[in-house]
Coordinates of all heavy atoms in Angstrom, one line a residue:
K1 N 37.3 11.2 -19.5 CA 36.6 12.2 -18.7 C 37.5 12.9 -17.6 O 37.4 14.1 -17.4 CB 35.4 11.6 -18.0 CG 34.3 11.2 -18.9 CD 33.6 12.4 -19.5 CE 32.5 12.0 -20.5 NZ 32.0 13.0 -21.3
S2 N 38.4 12.1 -17.0 CA 39.3 12.6 -16.0 C 40.2 13.7 -16.6 O 40.5 14.7 -16.0 CB 40.1 11.5 -15.3 OG 40.9 10.8 -16.3
I3 N 40.7 13.4 -17.8 CA 41.6 14.4 -18.4 C 40.8 15.6 -18.9 O 41.2 16.8 -18.7 CB 42.3 13.8 -19.6 CG1 43.3 12.7 -19.1 CG2 43.0 14.8 -20.4 CD1 44.0 11.9 -20.2
Q4 N 39.5 15.4 -19.3 CA 38.7 16.5 -19.7 C 38.4 17.5 -18.5 O 38.5 18.7 -18.6 CB 37.3 16.0 -20.2 CG 37.4 15.4 -21.6 CD 36.1 14.9 -22.1 OE1 35.1 15.5 -21.8 NE2 36.1 13.8 -22.9
K5 N 38.2 16.9 -17.3 CA 38.0 17.7 -16.1 C 39.3 18.5 -15.7 O 39.2 19.6 -15.3 CB 37.6 16.8 -15.0 CG 36.2 16.3 -15.1 CD 35.8 15.4 -13.9 CE 34.4 14.8 -14.1 NZ 33.9 14.0 -13.0
T6 N 40.4 17.8 -15.9 CA 41.7 18.5 -15.6 C 41.9 19.7 -16.6 O 42.3 20.8 -16.1 CB 42.9 17.5 -15.7 OG1 42.6 16.4 -14.8 CG2 44.2 18.2 -15.4
I7 N 41.6 19.5 -17.8 CA 41.7 20.5 -18.8 C 40.8 21.7 -18.5 O 41.1 22.9 -18.6 CB 41.5 20.0 -20.2 CG1 42.7 19.1 -20.6 CG2 41.4 21.1 -21.2 CD1 42.5 18.3 -21.9
A8 N 39.5 21.3 -18.1 CA 38.6 22.4 -17.8 C 39.0 23.2 -16.6 O 38.9 24.4 -16.6 CB 37.2 21.7 -17.5
A9 N 39.6 22.6 -15.6 CA 40.1 23.3 -14.4 C 41.3 24.2 -14.8 O 41.4 25.3 -14.4 CB 40.5 22.3 -13.3
A10 N 42.2 23.6 -15.7 CA 43.3 24.4 -16.1 C 42.9 25.6 -16.9 O 43.5 26.7 -16.8 CB 44.2 23.5 -16.9
R11 N 41.8 25.5 -17.7 CA 41.3 26.6 -18.5 C 40.8 27.7 -17.6 O 40.9 28.9 -18.0 CB 40.3 26.1 -19.5 CG 41.0 25.3 -20.7 CD 40.0 24.8 -21.7 NE 39.3 25.8 -22.3 CZ 38.3 25.6 -23.3 NH1 38.0 24.4 -23.6 NH2 37.7 26.6 -23.9
K12 N 40.1 27.3 -16.5 CA 39.6 28.3 -15.6 C 40.8 29.1 -15.0 O 40.7 30.3 -14.9 CB 38.8 27.7 -14.5 CG 37.5 27.2 -14.9 CD 36.7 26.6 -13.8 CE 35.3 26.1 -14.3 NZ 34.6 25.4 -13.2
I13 N 41.9 28.4 -14.7 CA 43.1 29.1 -14.2 C 43.6 30.0 -15.3 O 44.0 31.1 -15.1 CB 44.1 28.1 -13.7 CG1 43.6 27.3 -12.4 CG2 45.4 28.7 -13.4 CD1 44.4 26.1 -12.1
G14 N 43.7 29.4 -16.5 CA 44.3 30.1 -17.6 C 43.5 31.4 -18.0 O 44.1 32.3 -18.4
S15 N 42.2 31.4 -17.8 CA 41.5 32.6 -18.2 C 41.7 33.7 -17.2 O 41.5 34.9 -17.5 CB 40.0 32.2 -18.2 OG 39.5 31.9 -16.9
K16 N 42.3 33.4 -16.0 CA 42.6 34.4 -15.0 C 44.1 34.8 -15.1 O 44.4 35.9 -14.7 CB 42.2 33.9 -13.6 CG 40.7 33.7 -13.5 CD 40.4 33.1 -12.1 CE 38.9 32.9 -12.1 NZ 38.5 32.0 -11.0
S17 N 44.9 33.9 -15.5 CA 46.4 34.2 -15.5 C 47.0 33.7 -16.8 O 47.1 32.5 -17.0 CB 47.0 33.6 -14.3 OG 48.4 33.6 -14.5
Q18 N 47.4 34.6 -17.7 CA 48.0 34.2 -19.0 C 49.3 33.5 -18.8 O 49.6 32.6 -19.5 CB 48.1 35.5 -19.9 CG 46.8 36.0 -20.4 CD 46.1 35.0 -21.3 OE1 46.6 34.8 -22.4 NE2 45.1 34.4 -20.8
R19 N 50.0 33.9 -17.8 CA 51.3 33.3 -17.5 C 51.1 31.8 -17.1 O 51.8 30.9 -17.6 CB 52.1 34.0 -16.4 CG 53.4 33.4 -16.1 CD 54.2 34.2 -15.1 NE 54.6 35.4 -15.8 CZ 55.4 36.3 -15.3 NH1 55.9 36.2 -14.1 NH2 55.7 37.4 -16.0
S20 N 50.1 31.6 -16.3 CA 49.8 30.2 -15.9 C 49.3 29.4 -17.1 O 49.7 28.2 -17.2 CB 48.7 30.2 -14.8 OG 49.2 30.8 -13.6
A21 N 48.5 30.0 -17.9 CA 48.0 29.3 -19.1 C 49.1 28.9 -20.0 O 49.1 27.8 -20.6 CB 47.0 30.2 -19.8
R22 N 50.1 29.8 -20.2 CA 51.2 29.4 -21.1 C 52.0 28.2 -20.6 O 52.4 27.4 -21.3 CB 52.1 30.6 -21.2 CG 51.6 31.7 -22.1 CD 52.6 32.8 -22.4 NE 51.9 34.0 -22.8 CZ 51.7 35.1 -22.1 NH1 52.2 35.2 -20.9 NH2 51.0 36.1 -22.6
V23 N 52.1 28.1 -19.2 CA 52.8 27.0 -18.6 C 51.9 25.7 -18.7 O 52.4 24.6 -19.2 CB 53.1 27.2 -17.2 CG1 53.7 26.0 -16.5 CG2 54.2 28.4 -17.1
L24 N 50.6 25.8 -18.4 CA 49.7 24.7 -18.4 C 49.5 24.1 -19.8 O 49.3 22.9 -19.9 CB 48.4 25.1 -17.8 CG 48.4 25.4 -16.3 CD1 47.1 26.1 -15.8 CD2 48.6 24.2 -15.5
F25 N 49.5 25.0 -20.8 CA 49.2 24.5 -22.1 C 50.4 24.6 -23.1 O 50.2 24.9 -24.3 CB 48.0 25.3 -22.7 CG 46.7 25.1 -21.9 CD1 46.2 26.0 -21.0 CD2 46.1 23.9 -22.0 CE1 45.1 25.8 -20.3 CE2 44.9 23.6 -21.2 CZ 44.4 24.6 -20.4
T26 N 51.5 24.4 -22.6 CA 52.8 24.4 -23.4 C 52.6 23.5 -24.5 O 53.1 23.8 -25.7 CB 54.0 24.1 -22.5 OG1 54.1 25.1 -21.5 CG2 55.3 24.1 -23.4
Y27 N 52.1 22.3 -24.3 CA 52.0 21.3 -25.4 C 51.1 21.9 -26.6 O 51.5 21.8 -27.7 CB 51.3 20.0 -24.9 CG 51.0 19.0 -26.0 CD1 52.1 18.3 -26.5 CD2 49.8 18.9 -26.5 CE1 51.9 17.4 -27.5 CE2 49.5 18.0 -27.6 CZ 50.6 17.2 -28.0 OH 50.3 16.3 -29.1
I28 N 50.0 22.5 -26.2 CA 49.2 23.1 -27.3 C 49.9 24.2 -28.0 O 49.9 24.3 -29.2 CB 47.8 23.6 -26.7 CG1 47.0 22.4 -26.2 CG2 47.1 24.4 -27.7 CD1 45.8 22.8 -25.4
H29 N 50.6 25.1 -27.2 CA 51.4 26.1 -27.9 C 52.4 25.6 -28.8 O 52.6 26.1 -29.9 CB 52.0 27.0 -26.8 CG 51.1 27.8 -26.0 ND1 51.3 29.1 -25.6 CD2 49.8 27.5 -25.5 CE1 50.3 29.6 -25.0 NE2 49.4 28.7 -24.8
N30 N 53.1 24.5 -28.4 CA 54.1 23.9 -29.3 C 53.5 23.3 -30.5 O 54.1 23.3 -31.6 CB 54.9 22.9 -28.5 CG 55.8 23.6 -27.5 OD1 56.1 24.7 -27.6 ND2 56.2 22.8 -26.5
E31 N 52.3 22.8 -30.4 CA 51.6 22.2 -31.6 C 51.3 23.3 -32.6 O 51.1 23.0 -33.8 CB 50.3 21.5 -31.1 CG 50.5 20.1 -30.5 CD 51.1 19.2 -31.5 OE1 50.5 18.9 -32.6 OE2 52.2 18.6 -31.2
L32 N 51.2 24.5 -32.1 CA 50.9 25.7 -33.0 C 52.2 26.5 -33.3 O 52.1 27.6 -33.7 CB 49.8 26.6 -32.4 CG 48.5 25.9 -32.2 CD1 47.6 26.9 -31.4 CD2 47.9 25.5 -33.5
G33 N 53.3 25.8 -33.1 CA 54.6 26.5 -33.4 C 55.3 27.1 -32.2 O 56.5 27.4 -32.3
G34 N 54.5 27.4 -31.2 CA 55.1 27.9 -30.0 C 55.6 29.4 -30.0 O 56.2 29.9 -29.1
K35 N 55.3 30.1 -31.1 CA 55.8 31.4 -31.3 C 54.7 32.5 -31.4 O 55.1 33.7 -31.5 CB 56.8 31.5 -32.5 CG 58.0 30.7 -32.3 CD 58.9 31.3 -31.3 CE 60.2 30.5 -31.2 NZ 61.1 31.0 -30.2
I36 N 53.5 32.1 -31.5 CA 52.4 33.1 -31.8 C 52.3 34.1 -30.6 O 52.1 33.7 -29.5 CB 51.1 32.4 -32.0 CG1 51.2 31.5 -33.3 CG2 50.0 33.5 -32.2 CD1 49.9 30.7 -33.6
K37 N 52.5 35.3 -30.9 CA 52.4 36.4 -29.9 C 51.0 37.2 -30.1 O 50.5 37.7 -29.2 CB 53.5 37.4 -30.1 CG 54.9 36.8 -30.0 CD 55.2 36.4 -28.5 CE 56.6 35.9 -28.5 NZ 56.8 34.8 -27.6
F38 N 50.6 37.2 -31.3 CA 49.3 38.0 -31.6 C 48.4 37.2 -32.6 O 48.9 36.6 -33.5 CB 49.7 39.3 -32.3 CG 50.5 40.2 -31.5 CD1 51.9 40.3 -31.7 CD2 50.0 41.0 -30.5 CE1 52.7 41.1 -31.0 CE2 50.7 41.8 -29.7 CZ 52.1 41.9 -30.0
W39 N 47.1 37.2 -32.2 CA 46.1 36.6 -33.1 C 45.2 37.7 -33.5 O 44.6 38.4 -32.6 CB 45.2 35.6 -32.2 CG 46.0 34.5 -31.6 CD1 46.8 34.5 -30.6 CD2 45.9 33.1 -32.1 NE1 47.2 33.2 -30.3 CE2 46.7 32.4 -31.2 CE3 45.2 32.4 -33.1 CZ2 46.9 31.0 -31.3 CZ3 45.4 31.1 -33.2 CH2 46.2 30.4 -32.3
I40 N 45.2 38.0 -34.7 CA 44.4 39.2 -35.2 C 43.3 38.7 -36.2 O 43.6 38.0 -37.2 CB 45.3 40.2 -36.0 CG1 46.5 40.6 -35.0 CG2 44.5 41.4 -36.5 CD1 47.5 41.4 -35.7
A41 N 42.1 39.0 -35.8 CA 40.9 38.5 -36.6 C 40.2 39.8 -37.1 O 40.1 40.8 -36.5 CB 39.9 37.7 -35.7
G42 N 39.8 39.6 -38.4 CA 39.1 40.7 -39.0 C 38.2 40.2 -40.1 O 38.2 39.1 -40.5
G43 N 37.4 41.2 -40.6 CA 36.5 40.8 -41.7 C 35.1 40.5 -41.3 O 34.2 40.7 -42.1
S44 N 34.9 40.1 -40.1 CA 33.6 39.9 -39.5 C 33.7 39.7 -38.0 O 34.8 39.7 -37.4 CB 32.9 38.7 -40.1 OG 33.6 37.5 -39.8
H45 N 32.6 39.6 -37.4 CA 32.5 39.4 -35.9 C 33.1 38.1 -35.5 O 32.8 37.1 -36.0 CB 31.0 39.5 -35.5 CG 30.8 39.2 -34.0 ND1 31.2 40.1 -33.0 CD2 30.3 38.2 -33.4 CE1 30.9 39.6 -31.9 NE2 30.3 38.4 -32.1
T46 N 34.0 38.2 -34.5 CA 34.5 36.9 -33.9 C 33.7 36.5 -32.7 O 33.5 37.3 -31.8 CB 36.0 37.2 -33.4 OG1 36.8 37.7 -34.5 CG2 36.6 35.9 -32.9
P47 N 33.1 35.3 -32.8 CA 32.3 34.8 -31.7 C 33.0 34.9 -30.3 O 34.2 34.5 -30.2 CB 31.9 33.4 -32.0 CG 32.1 33.3 -33.5 CD 33.3 34.3 -33.8
P48 N 32.3 35.4 -29.3 CA 33.0 35.5 -28.0 C 33.5 34.2 -27.4 O 34.6 34.2 -26.8 CB 31.8 36.0 -27.1 CG 30.9 36.7 -28.0 CD 31.0 35.9 -29.3

């Protein structure tokens, strides 16, 4: 739970500052290759 709370707080910061989010979530970015610049969704509605 303590880590979940930390992640939730970091996500609030990340939603306001993309630069901060990239730093806070470097591990997640690296798990996805660390190079994704664009996420493009199509074909149907993407849930908010």
Side-chain angles (χ1 to χ4, degrees):
K1 292 290 182 191
S2 59
I3 294 175
Q4 289 180 32
K5 288 180 182 180
T6 302
I7 290 171
R11 286 176 65 179
K12 285 182 184 178
I13 293 168
S15 66
K16 294 176 183 164
S17 168
Q18 290 298 287
R19 181 173 290 186
S20 296
R22 286 186 199 108
V23 172
L24 293 168
F25 296 107
T26 298
Y27 174 78
I28 292 171
H29 290 222
N30 289 339
E31 284 295 304
L32 298 174
K35 295 290 182 186
I36 298 177
K37 303 288 184 216
F38 300 100
W39 301 74
I40 302 169
S44 67
H45 173 73
T46 304

